[in-house]
Amino acid sequence: QVQLVESGGGLVQAGGSLTLSCVASGSISRINDMAWYRQTPGKQRELVATISKEGNTKYADSVKGRFTVSRDNAKNTVNLQMNTLKPDDTGVYYCHAEWVLGPLSTYDYWGQGTHVTVSS
């Protein structure tokens, strides 16, 4: 079992910055990749950024150059630094952890989500 707790959401004006944090607890030794997703009303949850245990990162095209994902394995945290925010970045941001069940099997853990609102 893994618990993920996000924090750092809020209201910010366009062009501003926010940093989201996610702390993992429980059986964290089996966590592989971690990621941030976001969801807006009427849309599917979309991948924002992902980071491997080794620190390899991938970003959605819409956030490249503006968002930075980082991970501290010693503190069991993953952060998302969001700069130059746009109204389209508004949504609920979820922390995700890929938990290894076996050689070819994983399980998805999700946080409860944190709200980000970017005003124009």
Side-chain angles (χ1 to χ4, degrees), residues 2-9 19-25 28 31 33-37 49 51 68-81 93-98 109-114:
V2 170
Q3 296 77 43
L4 302 172
V5 179
E6 303 106 330
S7 62
T19 300
L20 305 183
S21 294
C22 172
V23 179
S25 60
I28 58 174
I31 293 177
D33 290 357
M34 296 191 74
W36 287 95
Y37 286 73
I51 185 165
T68 302
V69 62
S70 60
R71 182 170 178 172
D72 186 334
N73 291 325
K75 295 182 178 180
N76 308 318
T77 59
V78 60
N79 295 325
L80 184 68
Q81 174 67 42
Y93 284 69
Y94 295 91
C95 180
H96 169 267
E98 182 186 69
Y109 280 98
W110 296 93
Q112 80 286 355
T114 186

Side-chain angles (χ1 to χ4, degrees), residues 9-18 66 82-91 93 115-120:
L11 173 64
V12 64
Q13 286 188 331
S17 298
L18 278 176
R66 300 188 298 122
M82 305 185 293
N83 297 326
T84 320
L85 282 161
K86 305 175 181 178
D88 284 349
D89 294 319
T90 294
Y93 284 69
H115 290 258
V116 172
T117 303
V118 184
S119 63
S120 57

